[in-house]
Amino acid sequence: MKPIKLIISLLLLSVLFPSSLCAQEEKKSGLVGGITTAFNYIFNSGDTAYVEPNHYNLGCMLEHSTWYEQYRLGNNSENPSQRLTFSPDAGTKLGVYFGWRWIFFGYTFYADKLFGNKDKTDKKETSLSLYTSRLAIDITYRKTGDEFKLRSYSGFDTNSPSLKGSDFDGLQSRIFGLSGLWFFNAKQYSHRAAYAHSTNQRRNGGSVIAGLSYTQNRVTFDAEKLPATLYDQLAPGLKFEGVEYKNISLNIGYGYNWVFAKNWVANLTLLPTFAYKNSHVERKGIEDKGWSKDLYFDFLTRAAVAYNNTKYFAGASFALNTYDYRQTDLSVTNSFGILRFYAGFNFWPRKKK
């Protein structure tokens, strides 16, 4: 009986074991298929009648950018309220960027350094971007110098023309930002056609856009470096050493691409921002009061014009951000704008499917 049982067992294994293997293979193929579908949905969505996909693996770009920033300090608890506005001269930067399909990494530096001019402090900006059909992620770090100028003031009992435009080296800031945007109509709208030049918008298209962002901003201020005629009248709330605020923001807006000529596209994106902020103020001789929590409203505006024949591309873009800190005795508003001109080319063609 034992040989018979052994033969029956072997026959059962010969039937059941291949079936088990087939079931496992089906599960694996189903999992792989699901991952592939999700990948294509996020990275390669698009109606080719509206959006022509990228035909190359790598890209290289040179950029010329002009940076504008402004800081407005205010005090609302005094009568009259005081205002101070600082900004540096518009800075000109050169940048080199290198990209692989969806990812671009760039480094920028001030053009003055090419001519032997040295800043009083290092100004730095580093960025990393990931742009797909449905998702855009940007990571940036900025450090300003201390070459600000006093542009305007109000609420002081003085009106000296020589004060406006005077140098002020008592202000610095550091900004770290991480943002992600989701494009709901990725089949007919390509954000990267206007800002990442890795696709071509062939017909007009727009999309509702939603996203999340995190920003950490630290501003240091040395009021004692103000002209004596202003410092002697300065309200106590403006005599702070530093303010730090961390924002978690929800963005909901709209972007639209207008194809006004062959290989050309113009974009306008408006993103109202609802921000939850933790803020912290440091004052000399005053005990630390910890972090305060508030809700704020900010705004992000972007515009671009781009030319792309799939091999070579060029264009210009503009972005404007505002960051606000507001309390009864102190308000800080930082406006930050960038105007970019760029040109580059793609290479290493992708294999045709």
Side-chain angles (χ1 to χ4, degrees):
M1 295 295 292
K2 290 183 179 180
I4 295 176
K5 289 183 178 180
L6 178 60
I7 292 172
I8 293 174
S9 300
L10 291 175
L11 289 173
L12 290 173
L13 286 174
S14 66
V15 174
L16 296 177
F17 186 67
S19 300
S20 176
L21 286 178
C22 289
Q24 292 181 11
E25 289 298 327
E26 288 179 0
K27 288 183 179 179
K28 289 182 179 179
S29 62
L31 178 61
V32 172
I35 293 174
T36 302
T37 300
F39 181 88
N40 288 328
Y41 180 78
I42 295 174
F43 283 78
N44 298 318
S45 296
D47 182 345
T48 54
Y50 285 83
V51 180
E52 182 179 359
N54 187 17
H55 300 301
Y56 296 86
N57 288 297
L58 300 178
C60 186
M61 181 181 76
L62 297 178
E63 177 188 271
H64 175 281
S65 59
T66 301
W67 300 64
Y68 174 79
E69 58 187 315
Q70 182 186 81
Y71 288 84
R72 294 195 302 268
L73 311 182
N75 183 0
N76 302 319
S77 62
E78 299 291 332
N79 190 17
S81 61
Q82 295 180 341
R83 295 287 184 273
L84 295 167
T85 302
F86 303 94
S87 68
D89 293 330
T92 299
K93 287 186 174 183
L94 299 178
V96 180
Y97 290 78
F98 182 80
W100 174 78
R101 294 192 183 182
W102 310 281
I103 301 175
F104 252 80
F105 177 79
Y107 179 77
T108 61
F109 57 92
Y110 278 83
D112 291 346
K113 293 185 177 181
L114 295 178
F115 305 100
N117 298 329
K118 294 184 178 180
D119 302 321
K120 295 178 183 178
T121 60
D122 284 336
K123 306 172 186 178
K124 297 179 180 178
E125 191 209 0
T126 304
S127 63
L128 177 64
S129 300
L130 169 67
Y131 282 79
T132 74
S133 299
R134 293 189 179 272
L135 181 66
I137 297 176
D138 289 297
I139 303 174
T140 58
Y141 171 77
R142 294 187 57 253
K143 176 186 175 184
T144 69
D146 56 6
E147 297 175 340
F148 285 84
K149 293 185 178 181
L150 177 62
R151 300 299 181 181
S152 65
Y153 60 90
S154 62
F156 295 88
D157 187 18
T158 182
N159 187 23
S160 174
S162 62
L163 294 181
K164 294 183 179 180
S166 59
D167 293 335
F168 180 74
D169 61 357
L171 183 68
Q172 292 187 23
S173 75
R174 297 171 184 259
I175 301 174
F176 170 78
L178 170 63
S179 65
L181 298 175
W182 183 264
F183 311 106
F184 288 89
N185 186 22
K187 288 187 175 296
Q188 298 178 349
Y189 171 81
S190 176
H191 197 71
R192 54 181 175 165
Y195 296 99
H197 34 76
S198 56
T199 59
N200 282 59
Q201 186 83 34
R202 293 307 185 190
R203 295 184 182 179
N204 298 343
S207 176
V208 173
I209 302 172
L212 290 171
S213 62
Y214 171 79
T215 305
Q216 184 172 340
N217 195 339
R218 177 171 175 78
V219 179
T220 58
F221 180 60
D222 188 351
E224 294 181 357
K225 292 187 176 182
L226 286 169
T229 52
L230 298 181
Y231 180 76
D232 292 342
Q233 304 176 52
L234 195 64
L238 289 173
K239 293 181 179 180
F240 68 98
E241 293 184 324
V243 58
E244 182 176 354
Y245 39 100
K246 301 176 182 179
N247 307 350
I248 299 177
S249 306
L250 172 65
N251 313 299
I252 300 177
Y254 194 80
Y256 188 78
N257 279 344
W258 173 40
V259 180
F260 59 91
K262 183 179 180 181
N263 297 327
W264 285 90
V265 64
N267 175 273
L268 179 63
T269 300
L270 301 176
L271 284 173
T273 300
F274 305 92
Y276 172 78
K277 300 189 178 185
N278 284 355
S279 56
H280 174 74
V281 181
E282 298 173 1
R283 302 182 189 275
K284 184 181 294 185
I286 298 179
E287 185 179 351
D288 187 358
K289 294 184 179 181
W291 293 79
S292 61
K293 302 176 181 180
D294 298 281
L295 294 175
Y296 289 91
F297 176 80
D298 291 333
F299 206 87
L300 170 64
T301 304
R302 273 188 168 186
V305 177
Y307 171 83
N308 189 348
N309 66 4
T310 72
K311 176 66 175 179
Y312 300 99
F313 57 86
S317 66
F318 175 76
L320 177 64
N321 292 271
T322 59
Y323 304 100
D324 283 314
Y325 167 83
R326 296 188 182 276
Q327 295 294 334
T328 55
D329 61 344
L330 175 63
S331 65
V332 180
T333 301
N334 173 17
S335 300
F336 176 61
I338 313 172
L339 176 62
R340 290 187 168 105
F341 297 93
Y342 61 85
F345 62 94
N346 297 311
F347 59 102
W348 189 13
R350 300 172 67 173
K351 293 181 179 181
K352 294 184 179 180
K353 295 183 179 180

